[in-house]
């Protein structure tokens, strides 16, 4: 893809080297057994309580994650004009933290929280302080981080958790698209813009099992656009790619950037 302006599509495998686990990496091979479903979060107080109880524990480690070699290499490639922009399925904000400028977050960002009633927006760090004030025991509980920034938690701790609410009394939701949800039209339009302005597509760290990411590879193939996939393990789009690289994202992209920049 030398000499081409590349659009990049990233998935959870781009952030595993920052300590954020993925859903279907080479070690797991499958999605979580009980993920948060978008529609269920909206309609069920129990699901909202389950999410926020787990998120209260997982947020400190998630928020402390730093950009890894892959994020930094992509930012360098963008600054040098080789990468036109990044479409990411991740919700961690690490591309922006590494210096990437044109980033479309397909599934939103955990750093912001919205009220489901009035639409008010809140900083997740501020919400965390409120959660700990209302649920002080959760600040000392040991936990295992999960891909959505939440954590594994015994059911009895979920049952007693006090939910966060907006000043208007409405329920709060992280500004993300959970499983089964739909990407907002303006976000999708921005993602298509990046692809349309590119000469090639590079996929980094995604199995492309979820259609929200796979659609871009499918469209690129329909247009006759070259596709390269850098991922550990097979993907849904292997037959559509001209180049498959089964390797870690960080070292591979760093080596690429050292040559191209």
């Amino acid at each position: 893809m030398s000499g081409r302006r590349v659009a990049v599509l990233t998935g959870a495998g781009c952030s595993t080297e920052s300590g954020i686990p993925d859903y279907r990496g080479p070690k797991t091979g499958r999605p979580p057994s009980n993920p948060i479903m978008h529609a269920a979060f909206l309609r069920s107080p129990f699901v909202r309580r389950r999410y926020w109880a787990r998120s209260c524990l997982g947020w400190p480690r998630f928020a402390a994650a730093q950009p890894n070699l892959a994020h930094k290499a992509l930012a360098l490639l963008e600054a040098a004009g080789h990468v036109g922009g990044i479409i990411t399925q991740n919700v961690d904000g690490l591309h922006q933290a590494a210096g990437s400028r044109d980033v479309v977050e397909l599934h939103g960002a955990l750093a912001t929280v919205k009220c489901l009633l009035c639409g008010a927006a809140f900083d997740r760090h501020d919400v965390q302080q409120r959660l700990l004030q209302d649920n002080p025991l959760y600040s000392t509980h040991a936990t295992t981080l999960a891909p959505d920034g939440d954590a594994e938690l015994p059911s009895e701790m979920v049952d007693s958790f006090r939910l966060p609410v907006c000043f208007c009394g409405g329920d709060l939701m992280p500004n993300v698209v959970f499983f089964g949800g739909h990407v907002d039209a303006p976000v999708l339009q921005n993602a298509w813009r990046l692809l349309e302005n590119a000469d090639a597509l590079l996929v980094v760290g995604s199995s492309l099992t979820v259609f929200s990411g796979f659609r871009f590879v499918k469209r690129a193939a329909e247009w006759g656009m070259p596709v390269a996939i850098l991922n550990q393990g097979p993907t849904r789009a292997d037959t559509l790619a001209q180049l498959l690289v089964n390797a870690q994202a960080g070292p591979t992209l760093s080596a690429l950037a050292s040559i191209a920049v």
Side-chain angles (χ1 to χ4, degrees):
M1 294 188 178
S2 177
R4 298 178 184 269
R5 189 169 175 83
V6 179
V8 180
L9 171 66
T10 66
C14 192
S15 291
T16 54
E17 293 165 55
S18 294
I20 299 175
D22 58 2
Y23 288 112
R24 298 178 177 85
K27 294 182 180 180
T28 60
R30 59 186 184 276
S33 59
N34 193 20
I36 298 293
M37 303 302 292
H38 198 89
F41 186 99
L42 295 178
R43 70 170 180 262
S44 170
F46 171 77
V47 173
R48 291 194 289 275
R49 182 174 290 108
R50 172 176 168 250
Y51 171 78
W52 281 114
R54 291 158 53 117
S55 178
C56 182
L57 290 177
W59 175 252
R61 286 184 59 198
F62 185 90
Q66 296 296 312
N68 62 49
L69 292 174
H71 301 110
K72 294 174 182 178
L74 289 173
L76 287 173
L77 289 167
E78 181 186 13
H82 301 299
V83 167
I86 297 172
I87 305 166
T88 185
Q89 297 171 281
N90 299 334
V91 295
D92 50 43
L94 293 180
H95 286 300
Q96 296 92 323
S100 291
R101 298 182 298 274
D102 200 347
V103 181
V104 177
E105 296 173 309
L106 279 182
H107 299 159
L110 281 179
T112 57
V113 175
K114 62 184 179 182
C115 174
L116 293 174
L117 185 59
C118 73
F122 300 89
D123 185 281
R124 179 63 181 81
H125 291 286
D126 295 336
V127 173
Q128 180 71 6
Q129 295 306 309
R130 292 168 55 189
L131 290 172
L132 292 177
Q133 288 173 5
D134 292 339
N135 303 277
L137 294 179
Y138 285 71
S139 62
T140 59
H141 187 82
T143 186
T144 300
L145 189 65
D148 277 329
D150 58 356
E152 300 301 327
L153 188 66
S155 58
E156 58 270 19
M157 293 191 73
V158 173
D159 294 338
S160 62
F161 192 81
R162 293 183 61 186
L163 278 169
V165 294
C166 178
F167 301 116
C168 75
D171 291 307
L172 298 185
M173 177 178 181
N175 192 29
V176 300
V177 179
F178 288 121
F179 277 85
H182 298 287
V183 178
D184 288 341
V187 174
L188 197 53
Q189 289 171 2
N190 277 333
W192 287 126
R193 168 186 58 82
L194 287 182
L195 187 64
E196 290 166 358
N197 291 334
D199 302 308
L201 175 64
L202 170 64
V203 178
V204 178
S206 176
S207 65
L208 300 169
T209 303
V210 179
F211 184 73
S212 66
F214 175 72
R215 73 179 108 194
F216 298 102
V217 182
K218 184 173 182 291
R219 182 69 60 85
E222 291 171 352
W223 290 345
M225 179 183 291
V227 175
I229 298 177
L230 168 60
N231 189 59
Q232 289 188 280
T235 80
R236 182 181 180 182
D238 282 359
T239 59
L240 301 178
Q242 285 70 50
L243 176 64
L244 298 172
V245 180
N246 191 334
Q248 278 189 298
T252 305
L253 290 175
S254 289
L256 177 61
S258 68
I259 298 171
V261 177

